[in-house]
Amino acid sequence: MLQELIASYNYIIVVVIMMIGLWAMLAKQNLIKKCIGMAIFQTGIILFYISMGAKKGSTLPILEHAHDGAHHAVVAAHYANPLTQILMLTAIVVGVATLGVALTLAQKVYQQNRSYHEDKILEKLSK
Amino acid sequence: MIWQFDLILLTLVVIFALISLRVKDLMGASIVFGAYSFLMCLIWAGMGAVDVAFTEAAVGAGVSTVFMIATIYNTGRMIKPRPQDMSFKLLMMLVVVITGAFLLTAVNDFPEWGDPYSPVNDHVAAYYLTHSMSDTAVPNVVTSVLADYRSFDTMFETAVVFVALIGIYGIIRRRRKQDDSDSDTDALPPYDPSESLIIRQASRMMVPFMQIFALYVVAHGHHSPGGGFQGGVILGASLILYSMSYNLPTLFKKMTEKWIILLSAIGVLIFSGVGVICMMLGSNFLDYSVLSQILPATDSVMARSHAMLIVEIGVAFTVMCAMVGIYTSLASNGRFDKGL
């Protein structure tokens, strides 16, 4: 039982983190908190990809090599999966750019409505 | 990966996420979120994803926290408690719990954690690991997949960062002396850097070393964790530190707005330009091996290795300028005269 829990603990935590983010995006009424929720959701997905690419007893995806250019035979199972890693590497940087856009929009909304609170903004808009 | 560490860190991450959503002070919430990102980066480093952990340490724990603080600086900091509609919250809780339950039923169908022969780790990922050295002479497989095998992905991600910067300028940039009347009532008092001699001197000494380290990260990405994205973010962070410890006009004396836009466009141009040169030499877009015809003293394998460096420099330009541009617009509330 404990062994099974450890084996799937990563995936369970992924689901928990993603749901925390989703809950913040839906139920929190402060726009900055919504942005934080979005970022949390995103890290959940990144954790999911990295967990899938991890291999037991493997090392970093940087190959051993000699200076004279001689190649060692590479066994793929000895190195962590590089593919899931690069997909997430670019996703992080794009994620911070989109977070920047979200925060800019929030700041613009604040300029015009003097509040980050959803209800207050709606009150102002309906006037 | 030591599973006890993994267990503790994963539990801590959930607790930190909850705290950062719970705190009523937005400044505190963003600091806790930075700590959350840093714990996350420890987990990823433990699973062998050092490049991702490096990026997250620079981006998640560093720059995105700064973005949030810059936003809060120009607006309100405290959340004023308001009566809440509990039925709405309960409904949302129900939606989240049901979605989570559906996702949890899928957990058992995943391959066992750490299985080296699971479908994700088998086909094309194994090819990259076994062929990277003979195809491209780059030992860091993450770099060779990023900049060569899957360079289309990276090129368009760079373009997305550029477009985000342009979008932010479009949303928030205001012409000077247009509407200065709307002084933000509940913003923090104006920041006077002359009070902080220690911070100024310390950052004056740190900035050049950060920039040299960033250049090393960009240039040494072939052999160690790093590359254009990480190096670009660190370069951007060094400029952000400079502008925070002095003020925005001091930064704009060294690097004007015009250059920020121009350099970020040049970065995308370098990346796509390399692809166009490959086409002009009679091969596919971004097939670097034909560049051996114009690069001196290279065969088709080393041409791919060198082209990756050129491409990474382009990425670093765009990412650096995007970080500085986003920070300056958020910190000055779109006016670009004074700010955090």
Side-chain angles (χ1 to χ4, degrees), chain A residues 67-122:
Chain A
H67 277 293
D68 52 8
H71 300 169
H72 301 270
V74 175
V75 182
H78 292 175
Y79 297 96
N81 188 341
L83 182 57
T84 55
Q85 294 187 12
I86 86 110
L87 294 177
M88 289 308 104
L89 199 161
T90 47
I92 291 175
V93 178
V94 170
V96 78
T98 49
L99 179 72
V101 177
L103 289 173
T104 314
L105 284 170
Q107 209 176 53
K108 190 81 180 171
V109 168
Y110 189 93
Q111 270 174 25
Q112 283 165 3
N113 299 298
R114 293 267 157 265
S115 177
Y116 279 135
H117 198 278
E118 248 185 359
D119 290 351
K120 244 184 171 177
I121 295 165
L122 285 175

Side-chain angles (χ1 to χ4, degrees), chain B residues 30 91-92 98 212 303 316 333:
Chain B
S30 40
L91 178 69
M92 286 310 152
I98 290 172
I212 288 175
N333 208 350

Side-chain angles (χ1 to χ4, degrees), chain A residues 2 6-13 15-24 26-30 32-33 35-37 39-40 43-44 46-48 50-56 58-66 71 74-77 79-94 96-101 103-108 110-111 114 116-120 123, chain B residues 3 6-7 10-11 13-14 17-18 20-23 26 29 33 36 40 43-44 47-52 55-56 59 64 67-68 70-71 74-76 79 82 88-89 92-93 96 99-100 103-104 107 110-114 116-117 120-121 124-126 128-130 133-134 139-142 145-146 150 153 157 160-161 164 168 171-172 174 182 184 186 223-225 229-230 323 326 330 333:
Chain A
L2 185 68
I6 291 166
S8 53
Y9 193 62
N10 275 54
Y11 297 126
I12 295 169
I13 291 293
V15 173
V16 171
I17 288 175
M18 273 164 62
M19 287 309 109
I20 291 173
L22 184 66
W23 181 76
L26 290 173
K28 285 280 165 188
Q29 289 177 311
N30 186 292
I32 301 290
K33 286 285 169 89
C35 292
I36 294 179
I40 287 175
T43 47
I46 297 170
L47 179 62
F48 174 58
I50 302 294
S51 303
M52 284 201 301
K55 297 175 190 171
K56 263 191 198 118
S58 68
T59 181
L60 318 176
I62 298 174
L63 307 173
E64 275 184 61
H65 61 289
H71 300 169
V74 175
V75 182
Y79 297 96
N81 188 341
L83 182 57
T84 55
Q85 294 187 12
I86 86 110
L87 294 177
M88 289 308 104
L89 199 161
T90 47
I92 291 175
V93 178
V94 170
V96 78
T98 49
L99 179 72
V101 177
L103 289 173
T104 314
L105 284 170
Q107 209 176 53
K108 190 81 180 171
Y110 189 93
Q111 270 174 25
R114 293 267 157 265
Y116 279 135
H117 198 278
E118 248 185 359
D119 290 351
K120 244 184 171 177
E123 273 167 33
Chain B
W3 67 263
D6 204 20
L7 221 62
L10 285 168
T11 316
V13 154
V14 173
L18 288 173
S20 86
L21 291 173
R22 198 74 213 145
V23 177
L26 287 176
F33 180 70
Y36 164 88
M40 211 46 144
I43 295 173
W44 296 336
M47 284 194 240
V50 272
D51 281 270
V52 184
T55 318
E56 178 70 9
V59 169
S64 65
F67 286 173
M68 281 183 198
T71 311
N74 277 314
T75 53
I79 300 176
R82 285 172 72 91
F88 173 75
K89 284 220 157 171
M92 286 310 152
M93 198 56 127
V96 168
T99 318
L103 289 176
L104 279 176
V107 163
F110 281 121
E112 197 185 331
W113 184 80
Y117 301 105
V120 187
N121 294 334
V124 72
Y128 293 148
L129 280 167
T130 44
M133 216 46 193
S134 51
N140 185 357
V141 187
V142 175
V145 178
L146 179 93
R150 292 201 166 232
D153 183 11
E157 302 265 17
V160 167
V161 173
I168 285 167
I171 292 166
I172 207 173
R174 287 182 278 181
D182 60 345
D184 303 312
D186 40 1
H223 294 266
S224 61
F229 283 108
Q230 294 93 327
M323 294 305 137
I326 295 171
L330 281 176
N333 208 350

Side-chain angles (χ1 to χ4, degrees), chain B residues 2-283:
Chain B
I2 305 159
W3 67 263
Q4 288 91 338
F5 268 139
D6 204 20
L7 221 62
I8 295 168
L9 285 173
L10 285 168
T11 316
L12 273 178
V13 154
V14 173
I15 295 169
F16 271 61
L18 288 173
I19 293 174
S20 86
L21 291 173
R22 198 74 213 145
V23 177
K24 289 275 174 249
D25 182 357
L26 287 176
M27 194 76 91
S30 40
I31 298 291
V32 175
F33 180 70
Y36 164 88
S37 298
F38 198 74
L39 282 178
M40 211 46 144
C41 121
L42 288 181
I43 295 173
W44 296 336
M47 284 194 240
V50 272
D51 281 270
V52 184
F54 194 174
T55 318
E56 178 70 9
V59 169
V63 177
S64 65
T65 312
V66 172
F67 286 173
M68 281 183 198
I69 289 174
T71 311
I72 295 159
Y73 170 78
N74 277 314
T75 53
R77 171 176 173 175
M78 302 302 288
I79 300 176
K80 293 175 194 91
R82 285 172 72 91
Q84 283 175 330
D85 189 1
M86 280 319 284
S87 60
F88 173 75
K89 284 220 157 171
L90 280 177
L91 178 69
M92 286 310 152
M93 198 56 127
L94 196 69
V95 170
V96 168
V97 167
I98 290 172
T99 318
F102 271 121
L103 289 176
L104 279 176
T105 54
V107 163
N108 281 327
D109 298 337
F110 281 121
E112 197 185 331
W113 184 80
D115 177 14
Y117 301 105
S118 65
V120 187
N121 294 334
D122 224 4
H123 304 278
V124 72
Y127 174 89
Y128 293 148
L129 280 167
T130 44
H131 290 74
S132 172
M133 216 46 193
S134 51
D135 281 354
T136 64
V138 172
N140 185 357
V141 187
V142 175
T143 302
S144 70
V145 178
L146 179 93
D148 189 325
Y149 292 115
R150 292 201 166 232
S151 44
F152 269 77
D153 183 11
T154 313
M155 193 184 92
F156 286 112
E157 302 265 17
T158 315
V160 167
V161 173
F162 173 65
V163 169
L165 176 66
I166 299 295
I168 285 167
Y169 273 118
I171 292 166
I172 207 173
R173 195 177 190 291
R174 287 182 278 181
R175 267 191 223 98
R176 263 162 222 167
K177 297 189 178 63
Q178 191 189 353
D179 45 3
D180 271 335
S181 54
D182 60 345
S183 59
D184 303 312
T185 42
D186 40 1
L188 299 178
Y191 174 65
D192 185 10
S194 60
E195 291 169 10
S196 54
L197 182 71
I198 295 171
I199 292 177
R200 274 192 175 187
Q201 294 302 322
S203 63
R204 233 177 73 175
M205 291 203 283
M206 274 162 73
V207 165
F209 288 105
M210 281 172 81
Q211 286 173 344
I212 288 175
F213 177 64
L215 294 180
Y216 162 77
V217 168
V218 174
H220 209 258
H222 288 37
H223 294 266
S224 61
F229 283 108
Q230 294 93 327
V233 172
I234 297 171
L235 270 178
S238 75
L239 292 174
I240 290 172
L241 177 68
Y242 185 70
S243 110
M244 276 173 108
S245 55
Y246 288 80
N247 44 25
L248 277 183
T250 324
L251 175 70
F252 285 135
K253 255 180 235 157
K254 307 276 177 198
M255 190 174 183
T256 57
E257 252 178 274
K258 197 174 145 192
W259 276 104
I260 291 176
I261 297 279
L262 203 61
L263 276 179
S264 62
I266 285 172
V268 182
L269 184 72
I270 290 174
F271 205 139
S272 47
V274 171
V276 172
I277 292 171
C278 294
M279 273 169 89
M280 277 153 63
L281 291 173
S283 183

